[in-house]
Every structure is written in C-alpha cells, then in structure tokens.
C-alpha cells in the first residue's frame, strides 16, 4: 500500500471563467491547478487574500483537507 504524498498549499489565484483555483505549494516549489464547481469558485474568490490553506494529494491533484 503506497502512502499519499500530501503538501500544504495556499490559495494563490482564482480563474472564475475556467472554474480553476491555483494553489501554491508551501513545502516545495510548484503550483497546482484544481477545477472546482462554480459555487466553490465564488467562495474561493473571497478567500484569495485571506491565506486560505488546503492539503493537496500531489499525486492525484486533489484536495484532501483544508481550513
């Protein structure tokens, strides 16, 4: 059984027209683009400047936890 590779990331940018949020990896260099539903994108737009952090499974490019 392989262990998930989890990284702490902060919300960096939201692209509402594409339903994409970009998260910066705080533990190593890089970013992750994750597609969200429109309601989540609307909420994330309010969190861009708030230091919104999530844990991302870097192998599957999926959020596995957040604040």
């Amino acid at each position: 059984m392989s262990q998930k590779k989890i990284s702490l990331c902060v919300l960096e940018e939201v692209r509402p027209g594409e339903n994409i949020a970009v998260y910066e990896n705080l533990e190593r260099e890089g970013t992750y683009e994750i597609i969200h539903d429109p309601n989540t994108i609307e909420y994330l737009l309010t969190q861009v400047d708030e230091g919104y952090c999530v844990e991302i499974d870097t192998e599957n490019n999926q959020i596995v936890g957040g604040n």
Side-chain angles (χ1 to χ4, degrees):
M1 179 196 269
S2 67
Q3 189 174 10
K4 288 184 180 177
K5 294 185 180 175
I6 307 296
S7 289
L8 184 62
C9 301
V10 66
L11 180 63
E12 182 177 279
E13 175 187 0
V14 178
R15 298 186 207 143
E18 302 171 63
N19 290 336
I20 290 176
V22 180
Y23 299 89
E24 180 182 357
N25 190 324
L26 297 175
E27 298 170 359
R28 57 183 77 88
E29 193 172 317
T31 59
Y32 302 96
E33 293 184 357
I34 297 181
I35 297 171
H36 294 283
D37 65 78
N39 291 332
T40 302
I41 289 294
E42 188 174 314
Y43 170 73
L44 291 174
L45 282 168
T46 69
Q47 300 300 306
V48 172
D49 296 324
E50 302 300 322
Y52 185 80
C53 291
V54 295
E55 293 176 322
I56 294 179
D57 174 346
T58 59
E59 288 184 344
N60 297 311
N61 206 35
Q62 294 179 333
I63 294 175
V64 294
N67 62 344

